[in-house]
Amino acid sequence: MTGKGHEKTQHVLEWAVAELEIPGIVAEVKDPDGLWFGTAGVADLTTGARRGPGECLPIGSAAKAFTAAAILTLEAEGRLDIEDPVNRWLPGLLNAGGYDGDRITVRHLLSNTGGLFATGLAPELVAGYASRSRFAEHRFDVWTLDDLLRLTVSRPPVGQPGERFVYANGGFSIARAIIEKVTGGTYADEVERTVIRPLGLTATYVRPEGETGYRGPHPRAYSTQFYKDGVDPASVTPENWESMMEEPGLEPLDVTEFNTSWETGNLVSTTGDMIRFVSAVAGGGLLPPAQHRKMWTTVSTEGAGWLPHTRYGLGLFELDRAVTGGRTVCGVAGSYWGHLFCALGTSDGEHTIAFHTNTEAKSWDLLFKIVEAEFGITIGA
């Protein structure tokens, strides 16, 4: 592709394959000089096929920003307010397990500050995929929205509404249900109406609950994110987790066909479409000014055990300017079995990069190395 000056970024891609045991990685950049596409490694360990542009990729938790954008569009249309309590739209849903649906607002859901527990770590979910044998047994299980809403309140609160940031997928399941309650339609239709069509994201779609494949070219996905057989995920702690992981050196498991209906939003996109999306939400090209400001009103993630050096807005994050020398780099990211997807850009939307690895996050160092190479920023300690 066109564009210039991305040799350092290409070097990081090659480092990721050589040092992090990533099968294959792609990166696409849009900047004032044009477009650039880089790749290293392979799309398929069996055939050795190379990765290329236009691949269909699950974006994981990057879909949270689509949910937030849909909610904020509904607010701009006067159909809801992000300060509405959850009980206004879903009365009684959060009146269980110690939660208070009169105090938790839509804003709390979208900023991960509602006091909900870390739903993505719930044993009922993780246990199904914790070991290779369990993954083989449960990889095609379907999680309905009702299943996810029950999971959201299956553990007690971890804080008071607005008290602190705790990354909680369940809040976005509730937001999805609110979208459907307000509109009377489906989440997929509303994301299509408010985000996909306005931005011309021709390769982006919400996966139906039963769909496990892709609607276009895609890489094989590989994972080593498993415990030893017989390990109870509920017994894993920050102190013992390393001893619980399977022995190093095992061949990665092909996890390409995988029902991800439990994943927030369950969106598939491409690096090109996600560059367009992040450029728009960063630069103000999607939402009215009032909603744009709300989307980028951030809270600290410090001490939350999440992506370090970040602040979180509504469904997306920015790197803490204290460690970027005052520069603003913002975007979205998501990782689960077989995939890491990130898209980041400057606040004016003029310089954006999207990258994907066909295995889960091995280290957040990859994201920071790409930021340093592409934006010329040294991430401080």
Side-chain angles (χ1 to χ4, degrees):
M1 280 185 158
T2 59
K4 60 184 180 180
H6 304 284
E7 295 84 0
K8 291 182 179 179
T9 301
Q10 179 63 42
H11 180 72
V12 174
L13 305 187
E14 294 164 3
W15 168 84
V17 172
E19 300 296 329
L20 298 181
E21 298 183 343
I22 289 170
I25 182 171
V26 293
E28 189 166 347
V29 176
K30 184 207 77 171
D31 66 14
D33 291 323
L35 295 173
W36 176 83
F37 184 85
T39 182
V42 298
D44 189 320
L45 289 172
T46 301
T47 68
R50 304 286 292 180
R51 301 201 58 177
E55 294 172 334
C56 292
L57 307 166
I59 64 172
S61 285
K64 288 180 169 67
F66 285 73
T67 302
I71 288 275
L72 288 165
T73 300
L74 290 172
E75 182 185 68
E77 294 170 348
R79 302 172 72 180
L80 58 70
D81 191 303
I82 66 167
E83 306 304 339
D84 289 342
V86 172
N87 270 354
R88 175 173 179 183
W89 298 106
L90 302 172
L93 175 65
L94 286 180
N95 290 352
Y99 294 99
D100 186 345
D102 287 322
R103 295 181 59 209
I104 299 173
T105 66
V106 177
R107 182 194 290 272
H108 289 141
L109 302 177
L110 301 179
S111 60
N112 287 307
T113 58
L116 279 69
F117 83 102
T119 327
L121 300 178
E124 299 95 319
L125 174 62
V126 176
Y129 316 108
S131 66
R132 292 181 183 235
S133 60
R134 295 284 289 172
F135 189 94
E137 181 181 355
H138 294 284
R139 67 190 297 167
F140 298 122
D141 288 357
V142 174
W143 287 77
T144 67
L145 179 56
D146 285 343
D147 292 334
L148 295 174
L149 294 176
R150 284 191 292 270
L151 189 67
T152 298
V153 295
S154 64
R155 298 290 185 280
V158 296
Q160 295 299 312
E163 180 181 19
R164 62 191 177 100
F165 173 93
V166 176
Y167 198 67
N169 288 349
F172 286 83
S173 297
I174 297 173
R176 174 181 157 193
I178 289 173
I179 288 171
E180 295 188 347
K181 183 65 175 290
V182 170
T183 65
T186 68
Y187 170 80
D189 286 345
E190 196 60 18
V191 168
E192 176 83 21
R193 180 185 77 87
T194 60
V195 183
I196 293 174
R197 282 205 305 270
L199 295 181
L201 307 181
T202 57
T204 302
Y205 60 94
V206 177
R207 262 183 172 171
E209 286 175 351
E211 190 169 299
T212 60
Y214 297 88
R215 300 177 185 178
H218 58 278
R220 304 303 296 175
Y222 302 95
S223 182
T224 57
Q225 186 173 277
F226 301 108
Y227 297 127
K228 298 171 184 175
D229 276 325
V231 168
D232 178 1
S235 69
V236 177
T237 68
E239 292 73 33
N240 70 11
W241 71 269
E242 287 185 285
S243 66
M244 301 292 192
M245 299 302 292
E246 64 179 15
E247 297 301 326
L250 294 179
E251 288 295 316
L253 183 67
D254 188 321
V255 296
T256 309
E257 287 74 32
F258 182 15
N259 190 302
T260 54
S261 50
W262 46 266
E263 175 58 50
T264 305
N266 201 13
L267 262 77
V268 172
S269 190
T270 63
T271 52
D273 270 10
M274 288 302 291
I275 281 175
R276 182 173 293 184
F277 174 73
V278 169
S279 294
V281 296
L286 178 63
L287 298 170
Q291 281 67 41
H292 179 75
R293 287 191 296 271
K294 291 180 181 183
M295 194 172 208
W296 289 107
T297 299
T298 62
V299 297
S300 174
T301 67
E302 184 178 359
W306 195 63
L307 177 59
H309 308 314
T310 55
R311 296 182 61 84
Y312 200 84
L314 302 185
L316 28 66
F317 67 88
E318 67 178 27
L319 296 182
D320 193 327
R321 278 168 275 185
V323 298
T324 64
R327 297 275 301 281
T328 298
V329 176
C330 50
V332 295
S335 178
Y336 62 79
W337 294 268
H339 300 279
L340 165 65
F341 191 98
C342 295
L344 304 139
T346 53
S347 57
D348 59 7
E350 292 299 309
H351 187 180
T352 307
I353 182 170
F355 70 92
H356 174 269
T357 69
N358 56 348
T359 192
E360 58 274 353
K362 302 294 186 180
S363 166
W364 288 119
D365 284 348
L366 173 59
L367 184 152
F368 295 126
K369 282 182 179 292
I370 284 180
V371 167
E372 291 176 350
E374 188 58 38
F375 299 101
I377 292 173
T378 299
I379 305 298

